[in-house]
Amino acid sequence: MSKKFKVVTIGGGSSYTPELVEGIIKRYEKIPVTELWLVDVEAGREKLETVGALAKRMVKKAGVPIEIHLSYDRREALKDADFVTTQLRVGQLAARALDERIPLKYGVIGQETNGAGGLFKALRTIPVILDICKEVEELCPNAWVLNFTNPAGMVTEAVLRYSNIKKFIGLCNIPIGMEMGIAKLLNVDHSRVRIDFAGLNHMVFGLEVYLDGVSVKDKVLGMIMDPANASFVKNIDAEEWAPEFLKGINVIPCSYHHYYYKTSEMLTRELKEFESNETRAEVVQRIEASLFEKYKDETLDVKPPELEKRGGAYYSDAACRLISSIYNDTRDIQPLNTMNKGAISDLPYNAAVEVSCVITKDGPVPLTMGELPVPVRGLIQTIKSFEQMAIEAAVEGSREKAIVALTINPLVANDKVAIAIVDEMLEAHKAYLPRFFKKINKFNV
Ligand code: G6P
């Protein structure tokens, strides 16, 4: 009998799960998973059953002996897990739509992981992830937890600061998407391209780009000046970069930087989407509905290509290659969210950063990137302050800290606007913010 290898996915009913299943099947020789547990909450029963049935068909077609278990009992599922992946969305897509729409009413960017939307996603999510960490500590203390749940950087730092779990890594598809996108532009295989990444989640820059070990950064900067190449993810319609600006910063921005360096153009786009009920959450709700219709088809036994319309496409590659590298101690390089430990000298030692790391059986070892380039240093440090205030707000249930976080965020940058947005969003998300409302009640008494 093969050795037990148990992977548990919290938020297993997600439309992205077929990617993960495909990634595990593809690498079965390297990661011989024996049990995959897909866990969800009761409210997600229909989705979990649909996705779970597809996962079973995929495994059967591939002919690999992986048992698929569906569960609504997180504690039962976590028992003795080897790897836990988290991909949950507190409040589902309806909450995301509020995160995107409410800030737009005040004339500021409404985005899932940035500005006010990112703040409220953090406030809802961090306490839930900290609860999961407590259960991991008790039920599978040796497991690695790989987190995709957004905002992945803030979630990682919250765990580093407020939980006893050490084997926790934040993952994102942005860096892998940049590498794949740049390889495509250069018309070479992905494996020949390596980028030195440094920054924060959704605030990461490519400091260097190598093709077979030789720098091609200048060539790539030239290529992304073409508007057709300005974004590497499906969820962001990019604006054209000014060549002077790209040459001046001399590093490769990620797609989310459009919100910071082209704020007014991105806001104009978003306001149009707001008017026509086409914000990204609303579009994604429609994509999801049609994906789930596909998943229900009992003849479907592979990942449908429509999944690649989602911004998080290819995240399974990031997850499964990480599981494989830890399991096999491969010591290859991957960009991850982990404790800085001095790798980026301009950010706190204990902060979570997104950085290229060597992956060992003991986890990621961040590569030394040294000082951040001056043109991008200030923005990254500001966003780190925003993140740290947001994390404290989430843990303490502090309205005041949430207001400070939003006021120092460059997408808001106004105290009165921050107060108005925070108060409206606290009310709108009340059901998912118990730490805030317990406190407010206490003050009111
Ligand atoms: C990007 C980000 C992910 C995010 C996704 C949203 O890929 O890296 O963190 O979840 O976009 O995509 P969606 O299709 O939900 O807008």
Side-chain angles (χ1 to χ4, degrees), residues 314-375:
Y314 308 117
Y315 91 104
S316 79
D317 256 355
C320 297
R321 79 174 177 165
L322 179 57
I323 294 178
S324 172
S325 297
I326 294 174
Y327 186 72
N328 298 301
D329 195 21
T330 55
R331 304 174 189 212
D332 58 323
I333 297 173
Q334 296 179 26
L336 296 170
N337 288 268
T338 188
M339 194 192 282
N340 184 18
K341 293 188 184 159
I344 302 173
S345 57
D346 312 294
L347 290 171
Y349 184 92
N350 292 328
V353 294
E354 192 161 279
V355 65
S356 302
C357 301
V358 175
I359 314 301
T360 74
K361 65 178 177 4
D362 304 309
V365 181
L367 289 174
T368 302
M369 293 292 155
E371 290 180 3
L372 292 165
V374 172

Side-chain angles (χ1 to χ4, degrees), residues 37 79 85 88 107 122 126 150 190 225 247 276 367 400 404:
W37 286 67
K79 186 104 189 66
T85 69
L88 51 103
I126 286 171
N150 272 323
H190 175 194
M225 286 170 195
K247 275 194 203 135
S276 55
L367 289 174
E400 196 173 288
V404 173

Side-chain angles (χ1 to χ4, degrees), residues 34 39 49 75 84 138 150 238 362 386 390 412:
T34 55
V39 192
E49 289 189 354
R75 294 183 60 86
V84 178
E138 180 193 337
N150 272 323
D362 304 309
F386 158 75
V412 177

Side-chain angles (χ1 to χ4, degrees), residues 137-155:
E137 208 183 326
E138 180 193 337
L139 299 163
C140 51
N142 296 320
W144 281 98
V145 183
L146 313 184
N147 174 67
F148 303 113
T149 305
N150 272 323
M154 287 193 256
V155 166

